[in-house]
Amino acid sequence: MKAAAVLDYRELARRRLPRFLFDYIDGGSYAEVTLRRNVSDLEHIPLRQRVLRDVSVIDLSTTWFGQKLNMPVALAPIGLAGLTARRGEVQAARAAEAAGIPFCLSTVSACPLPEVAKGVTKPFWFQLYMIRDRAFMVDLLFQAKATGCSALVFTVDMPVPGSRYRDMRSGLAGAPGPMGAIRRFGQALVRPDWAWDVGLLGRPHVLGNVAPVLQGNTGLEDFFAWMRANFDPTVTWKDLEWVRANWTGPLIMKGILDPDDARLVADLGADGLIVSNHGGRQLDGAISSTRALPPIADAVGDRLTVLSDGGIRSGLDVVRMLALGAKGVLLGRAWAYALAGGGQAGVAHMLRLIEAEMRVAMALTGVTSVTEIDRSLLAAI
């Protein structure tokens, strides 16, 4: 199967990954209402088609936080994504670097900060949660600085993990003792390509950044137990002042859906925010990123850089998000599908598809630069 779109890579990922990994990447919380809204609300945004304009030269370049980018796109942080291909985060970071866009490494990645840093030649972003063990957070911030990370993405919408039925049904979570491992082993056996490339050749499978605090207990059950114990439901805006004080580079708050919260982010002195509902993986029934974005852009777009994620499956979707008020987007599942379906080459190809689709969408809406994309592109219905 030759991939012609992001959804083709989703199918390739479904065929290649064990069920527990595919469902982890693909799924959302509860009945996955918000996950579906992210996609459907975005695809129903109508654009004005304009004609007889010179669109022979189209410029996708932009600048975020002082960094020149080839297009207004970044690869979002995804936990466990490195298990979808051998040393997967390194492969994805290389593809992002070649495309001239940022890659953001998750706190709960398979590959640790130093390994990713050795695999690329330019700085990348790092994502961090507020967790109970503040000393461990300080250590991660120190590592991020030492490896030259150029921005910190701080996730604020996860005081507790969401309830994800697919993970419980697949055996990834909620099956204590050996039963979960047995179920996952059986699922891996029917995916021999993955079992060989990742299961055997991709060792070690420890979650690199959190491995030191797991103290050798690096099974998936140990990881999920650590997550449940260490995410901090007591966190308030005062705690985020501590983060701002301990990180001197660009600070981007991820997980904002409400304009009042966006104003507090700006008051905190953050450099940017990401309109996000965690890909529909936290509060099911929450507003889609598409609907949340315009009022947030209106509230704080002149004070900080407003980015967005959620439901983006094409370059056309990127243009829609820009028209709604974002300065750029983060791709999540899109790169995880491509990594699973084709490794580094798959991610690189997916990004070329996004770029080509953006160029077509811009040409047909009559704009030649991303700086021209605004709400004037939206069609009234």
Side-chain angles (χ1 to χ4, degrees):
M1 175 181 177
K2 181 174 176 59
V6 166
L7 290 181
D8 292 337
Y9 276 112
R10 180 185 181 274
E11 176 59 19
L12 289 172
R14 188 192 66 80
R15 295 180 188 182
R16 186 171 186 271
L17 294 178
R19 177 189 168 190
F20 70 89
L21 269 182
F22 178 76
D23 280 357
Y24 173 78
I25 295 295
D26 193 60
S29 64
Y30 292 91
E32 302 184 346
V33 172
T34 298
L35 186 157
R36 293 192 296 274
R37 283 178 182 166
N38 278 346
V39 175
S40 63
D41 285 355
L42 186 55
E43 69 184 7
H44 282 94
I45 295 296
L47 298 174
R48 298 172 65 194
Q49 182 166 336
R50 305 301 302 275
V51 299
L52 298 177
R53 298 189 174 197
D54 183 354
V55 290
S56 57
V57 179
I58 291 180
D59 181 12
L60 272 60
S61 66
T62 191
T63 301
W64 296 352
F65 316 111
Q67 179 183 358
K68 184 74 175 291
L69 310 181
N70 288 346
M71 58 179 170
V73 171
L75 300 190
I78 300 180
L80 307 185
L83 296 181
T84 64
R86 193 195 319 172
R87 316 313 297 166
E89 286 100 359
V90 175
Q91 294 194 56
R94 287 171 174 163
E97 180 176 271
I101 64 170
F103 168 80
C104 187
L105 184 70
S106 170
T107 293
V108 290
S109 58
C111 302
L113 278 157
E115 181 181 357
V116 177
K118 290 179 181 177
V120 295
T121 62
K122 296 179 181 178
F124 55 95
W125 296 0
F126 182 60
Q127 174 271 334
L128 187 63
Y129 298 103
M130 181 65 82
I131 53 181
R132 294 179 188 272
D133 188 344
R134 297 294 196 267
F136 177 54
M137 285 185 63
V138 170
D139 181 65
L140 285 177
L141 287 171
F142 176 81
Q143 288 188 55
K145 293 175 185 176
T147 52
C149 289
S150 57
L152 181 70
V153 174
F154 197 82
T155 298
V156 296
D157 63 354
M158 204 166 178
V160 296
S163 182
R164 301 165 191 169
Y165 297 157
R166 280 212 235 179
D167 291 349
M168 299 178 71
R169 291 167 180 151
S170 71
L172 180 64
M179 290 307 300
I182 291 171
R183 290 175 66 186
R184 293 193 296 274
F185 181 76
Q187 293 168 25
L189 286 180
V190 298
R191 295 289 186 266
D193 289 345
W194 179 91
W196 173 255
D197 183 53
V198 181
L200 291 177
L201 300 182
R203 294 178 179 275
H205 294 149
V206 296
L207 294 160
N209 295 314
V210 302
V213 293
L214 293 177
Q215 299 178 338
N217 301 312
T218 54
L220 288 174
E221 292 87 356
D222 304 305
F223 163 67
F224 283 108
W226 178 84
M227 285 183 63
R228 288 190 296 270
N230 278 281
F231 283 105
D232 192 348
T234 70
V235 172
T236 67
W237 291 98
K238 292 292 292 182
D239 295 287
L240 297 186
E241 295 175 6
W242 176 88
V243 177
R244 175 73 281 183
N246 282 273
W247 179 263
T248 56
L251 176 63
I252 308 161
M253 296 295 181
K254 179 178 181 289
I256 305 300
L257 291 174
D258 187 278
D260 287 341
D261 286 343
R263 293 184 184 96
L264 290 171
V265 170
D267 292 343
L268 179 72
D271 301 280
L273 64 79
I274 301 170
V275 178
S276 174
N277 52 41
H278 217 98
R281 296 167 68 79
Q282 283 298 94
L283 176 63
D284 199 26
I287 190 172
S288 69
S289 296
T290 298
R291 292 184 180 272
L293 173 58
I296 289 176
D298 289 342
V300 298
D302 59 342
R303 300 176 64 189
L304 42 68
T305 300
V306 175
L307 307 175
S308 188
D309 66 15
I312 300 161
R313 300 292 185 266
S314 68
L316 176 59
D317 288 340
V318 176
V319 172
R320 286 175 167 136
M321 281 293 194
L322 298 180
L324 291 169
K327 296 301 183 184
V329 306
L330 283 84
L331 303 177
R333 289 182 177 88
W335 77 260
Y337 295 148
L339 180 66
Q344 179 177 336
V347 179
H349 179 239
M350 180 275 295
L351 290 172
R352 291 195 298 273
L353 292 175
I354 294 290
E355 178 184 356
E357 291 163 351
M358 281 192 69
R359 291 183 182 279
V360 170
M362 290 170 64
L364 294 179
T365 53
V367 295
T368 59
S369 169
V370 295
T371 60
E372 299 175 28
I373 302 176
D374 57 25
R375 290 182 201 170
S376 66
L377 267 65
L378 301 177
I381 56 172

